[in-house]
């Protein structure tokens, strides 16, 4: 208790009061600071949570967009009876080269894919059912942005061209193989020997005339070529393949190669051929639903 006439007590009391006031003020100050810090921490946690949610939403949107694009790509490349594929009307202002590889997948497919990746160009692979163990390369090529087409399962002329039914049963067989790899049956096909082949006459008179119409009716499109690398022949050298492949005669080049274990010269020639067309300002495209269609005259 403060006593008016006792100076000592008064001073002590004042000091005590001051201390009490200081403690109260300090405590109050700490409480304010703590509550501000707590509020800031709460804000920080909320901001972090929001950033995480935004990131997750963006990732989900990107995944959904990628999924949609993948579905649209598959849909556009799949067989749809009654929906025409391809065009013969080309934009002559454009210069486009379609690199096409028949008979794979093979022991050389990965090397071909590596070269295409190195130059960032897309191509088309017309595959067969040979080499079961190499079939995953079909998916590898598709996932890398290349187009997969059907070349027949057996590639055995005697079997494939024995009859119209025999051809379609073989085509369906390779269609299923490809579907196992990429999830759908593509609408792009190439006849063994091309639509102009005359070998088929030995097995079935008039079959190419029938097939070249019926594949279209069933929702496929067939692609021949206007430039051949000549690598189908045995013993074709790298230089011969380069000389055969390089031409500035066409605005749209459909170039035939073979993807086989024996075709090392094709792999060796590929970089020069790509550089040649790049230097001429050509764009490299994988075949799609709107691509230029090269058809040979049917001879059987
Ligand atoms: Zn072939």
């Amino acid at each position: 208790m403060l006593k008016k006439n006792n100076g000592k007590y008064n001073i002590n009391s004042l000091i005590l009061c001051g201390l009490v006031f200081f403690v109260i003020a300090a405590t109050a100050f700490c409480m304010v600071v703590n509550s501000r810090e707590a509020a800031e921490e709460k804000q920080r946690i909320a901001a972090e949570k929001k950033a995480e949610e935004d990131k997750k939403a963006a990732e989900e949107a990107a995944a959904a967009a990628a999924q949609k694009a993948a579905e649209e790509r598959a849909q556009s490349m799949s067989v749809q009876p009654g929906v025409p594929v391809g065009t013969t009307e080309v934009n002559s202002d454009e210069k486009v080269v379609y690199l096409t590889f028949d008979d794979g997948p093979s022991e050389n497919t990965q090397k071909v894919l590596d070269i295409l990746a190195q130059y960032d160009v897309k191509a088309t692979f017309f595959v067969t059912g040979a080499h079961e163990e190499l079939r995953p390369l079909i998916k590898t090529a598709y996932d890398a942005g290349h187009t997969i087409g059907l070349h027949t399962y057996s590639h055995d002329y005697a079997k494939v061209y024995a009859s119209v039914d025999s051809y379609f049963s073989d085509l369906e067989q390779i269609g299923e193989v490809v579907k196992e790899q990429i999830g759908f049956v593509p609408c792009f096909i190439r006849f063994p020997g091309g639509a102009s082949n005359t070998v088929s006459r030995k097995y079935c008179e008039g079959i190419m005339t029938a097939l070249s119409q019926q594949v279209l009716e069933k929702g496929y499109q067939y692609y021949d070529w206007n430039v051949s690398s000549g690598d189908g022949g045995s013993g074709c050298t790298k230089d011969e393949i380069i000389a055969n492949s390089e031409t500035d005669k066409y605005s749209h080049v459909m170039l035939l190669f073979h993807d086989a274990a024996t075709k090392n010269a094709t792999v060796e020639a590929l970089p020069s051929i790509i550089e040649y067309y790049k230097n001429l300002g050509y764009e490299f495209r994988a075949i799609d639903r709107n691509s230029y269609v090269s058809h040979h005259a049917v001879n059987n």
Side-chain angles (χ1 to χ4, degrees):
M1 198 184 196
L2 290 176
K3 285 186 181 168
K4 220 174 187 177
N5 50 3
N6 187 335
K8 200 180 169 188
Y9 274 118
N10 279 346
I11 288 165
N12 284 346
S13 299
L14 279 172
I15 290 169
L16 187 63
C17 282
L19 276 173
V20 169
F21 176 77
F22 176 76
V23 168
I24 290 169
T27 305
F29 177 74
C30 284
M31 279 169 75
V32 167
V33 167
N34 281 344
S35 79
R36 187 181 296 161
E37 274 176 0
E40 280 171 1
E41 176 69 1
K42 212 172 154 188
Q43 254 177 3
R44 194 184 59 76
I45 289 169
E48 261 177 16
K49 199 177 162 202
K50 185 166 183 317
E52 212 160 278
E53 280 169 1
D54 287 352
K55 192 180 163 211
K56 203 177 157 204
E59 280 170 359
E60 279 172 3
Q67 171 77 10
K68 191 166 175 264
E71 281 168 11
E72 281 172 359
R73 181 180 179 220
Q75 172 71 13
S76 78
M77 290 184 165
S78 64
V79 184
Q80 298 165 55
V83 182
V85 182
T87 179
T88 48
E89 287 173 25
V90 295
N91 179 351
S92 53
D93 294 338
E94 285 182 332
K95 293 205 287 188
V96 184
V97 57
Y98 297 92
L99 305 176
T100 67
F101 297 86
D102 289 7
D103 301 356
S106 80
E107 288 79 354
N108 270 325
T109 307
Q110 191 58 58
K111 289 179 196 160
V112 170
L113 290 174
D114 290 345
I115 294 168
L116 297 175
Q118 188 190 329
Y119 287 94
D120 191 24
V121 302
K122 304 301 177 208
T124 302
F125 293 84
F126 291 100
V127 300
T128 76
H131 308 300
E132 196 173 343
E133 73 287 1
L134 298 174
R135 286 179 191 165
L137 285 165
I138 294 173
K139 181 171 162 49
T140 305
Y142 179 75
D143 288 346
H146 305 294
T147 291
I148 305 301
L150 310 176
H151 194 37
T152 66
Y153 185 91
S154 68
H155 206 289
D156 176 355
Y157 283 56
K159 190 176 169 223
V160 167
Y161 293 137
S163 69
V164 167
D165 285 350
S166 181
Y167 171 83
F168 278 111
S169 114
D170 194 290
L171 185 71
E172 279 161 24
Q173 209 178 343
I174 187 61
E176 284 309 307
V177 166
V178 170
K179 191 178 176 182
E180 275 170 26
Q181 295 299 323
I182 64 174
F184 65 94
V185 179
C187 59
F188 314 109
I189 62 177
R190 175 167 282 156
F191 293 115
S196 56
N197 83 79
T198 50
V199 185
S200 57
R201 197 181 291 145
K202 198 161 86 181
Y203 307 107
C204 184
E205 193 74 37
I207 191 169
M208 296 317 299
T209 304
L211 291 180
S212 58
Q213 289 165 8
Q214 290 189 28
V215 292
L216 304 183
E217 288 162 14
K218 287 176 185 279
Y220 297 99
Q221 178 58 272
Y222 66 95
Y223 296 79
D224 291 314
W225 54 91
N226 55 8
V227 180
S228 171
S229 68
D231 69 349
S234 58
C236 199
T237 66
K238 172 189 168 184
D239 289 343
E240 284 165 346
I241 291 169
I242 291 171
N244 291 334
S245 302
E246 297 180 351
T247 172
D248 57 3
K249 231 164 54 174
Y250 306 102
S251 63
H252 287 62
V253 177
M254 188 69 72
L255 181 45
L256 170 69
F257 294 106
H258 290 85
D259 169 13
T262 53
K263 305 297 178 189
N264 296 326
T266 302
V267 176
E268 289 163 17
L270 199 52
S272 308
I273 297 165
I274 292 173
E275 282 169 26
Y276 170 83
Y277 283 104
K278 279 207 173 218
N279 289 337
L280 287 182
Y282 278 79
E283 190 189 321
F284 291 80
R285 285 187 202 158
I287 290 175
D288 64 28
R289 213 174 182 87
N290 304 312
S291 294
Y292 153 69
V293 173
S294 175
H295 279 180
H296 290 171
V298 173
N299 294 312
N300 173 29

